């Protein structure tokens, strides 16, 4: 996990959003390979092993086929202009992250609950959890893979973590209109921005 991502992590518990404190065991360059992250609010601790932070309750992976969203299309839809910041890929959206990284130079990638073949490597930070364990309004874009895009809970999570006005892309049925302002939708892929109502 990219050490600077620590600033954007949050405890998954349902209390006010709080940072997590990193207690590293092993760091190589700018990557944390093992350690613990602790929540100063509720006292929970989360293990980071083999570069992967697990905050618990991640849905079990079921092989529902490859993402139909190829890296070129994904890049065009999420529409990031210029380097800096983070792009989060949820579920199967993380399967071709290396090509996504090449197409988006200078953007740090975060994979949440990726397919099992995706392992820790420079250029990707791997998180697991029953929600997106990132602070609100912290990401430049979020892509929801299959199954996740069909679930309003995960759509809300994506809308929560993306920066205001920036995009969420999903592979699935159209998102709830009270969560996402839809920009376009075709062939089971949609793109939109977080709805303003979430800011209440
Ligand atoms: Zn907590």
């Amino acid at each position: 996990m990219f050490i600077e991502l620590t600033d954007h992590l949050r405890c998954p518990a349902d209390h006010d959003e709080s940072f997590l404190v990193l207690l590293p065991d092993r760091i190589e360059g700018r990557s944390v390979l093992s350690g613990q992250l602790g929540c100063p609010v509720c006292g929970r601790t989360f293990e980071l092993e083999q570069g992967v932070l697990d905050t618990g309750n991640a849905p079990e992976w079921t092989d529902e086929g490859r993402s139909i969203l190829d890296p070129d299309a994904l890049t065009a839809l999420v529409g990031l202009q210029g380097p800096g910041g983070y792009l989060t890929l949820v579920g199967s959206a993380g399967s071709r992250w290396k090509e996504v990284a090449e197409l988006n130079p200078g953007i740090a990638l975060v994979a949440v609950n990726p397919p099992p073949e995706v392992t820790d490597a420079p250029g990707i930070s791997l998180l697991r959890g029953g929600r997106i364990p990132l602070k609100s309004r912290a990401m430049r874009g979020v892509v929801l893979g299959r199954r996740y895009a069909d679930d309003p809970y995960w759509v809300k999570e994506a809308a929560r973590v993306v920066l205001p006005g920036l995009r969420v892309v999903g592979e699935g049925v159209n998102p709830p209109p009270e969560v996402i302002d839809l920009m376009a939708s075709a062939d089971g892929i949609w793109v939109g921005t977080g709805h303003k109502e979430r800011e209440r």
Side-chain angles (χ1 to χ4, degrees):
M1 190 187 78
F2 189 43
I3 193 161
E4 286 158 45
L5 183 66
T6 311
D7 293 342
H8 301 289
L9 297 172
R10 65 160 287 170
C11 176
D14 251 338
H15 54 61
D16 282 350
E17 219 163 83
S18 165
F19 58 90
L20 294 176
V21 178
L22 172 65
L23 303 166
D25 290 329
R26 203 166 148 228
I27 294 180
E28 256 176 36
R30 293 162 81 189
S31 292
V32 190
L33 300 182
S34 65
Q36 283 192 327
L37 286 110
C39 174
V41 176
C42 68
R44 290 182 204 204
T45 58
F46 307 101
E47 293 294 325
L48 195 156
E49 289 174 340
Q50 297 183 306
V52 183
L53 173 64
D54 192 343
T55 60
N57 303 315
E60 228 167 274
W61 175 259
T62 56
D63 205 357
E64 291 183 343
R66 285 273 157 208
S67 171
I68 53 169
L69 193 53
D70 75 65
D72 287 300
L74 185 158
T75 298
L77 289 169
V78 82
L80 299 180
Q81 306 288 333
Y86 296 87
L87 170 63
T88 292
L89 309 169
V90 182
S92 61
S95 58
R96 293 172 71 182
W97 70 268
K98 286 179 189 167
E99 292 156 271
V100 174
E102 280 169 19
L103 292 165
N104 292 276
I107 308 275
L109 299 183
V110 180
V112 177
N113 304 336
E117 71 269 18
V118 177
T119 54
D120 184 47
I124 188 90
S125 295
L126 301 186
L127 309 178
R128 295 182 55 71
R131 69 185 302 179
I132 301 177
L134 295 167
K135 287 182 187 164
S136 299
R137 303 178 203 182
M139 299 291 111
R140 288 185 68 198
V142 179
V143 183
L144 292 171
R146 291 190 157 186
R147 205 167 51 121
Y148 289 94
D150 290 333
D151 184 341
Y153 173 80
W154 285 93
V155 176
K156 274 184 201 153
E157 278 291 279
R160 180 182 64 78
V161 302
V162 77
L163 284 158
L166 298 187
R167 296 180 191 169
V168 177
V169 174
E171 292 183 60
V173 297
N174 282 352
E178 70 277 15
V179 180
I180 294 286
D181 284 329
L182 202 59
M183 298 162 65
S185 169
D187 303 326
I189 306 282
W190 52 262
V191 56
T193 57
H195 197 285
K196 285 196 175 65
E197 275 187 3
R198 78 194 158 84
E199 290 166 17
R200 279 183 199 159

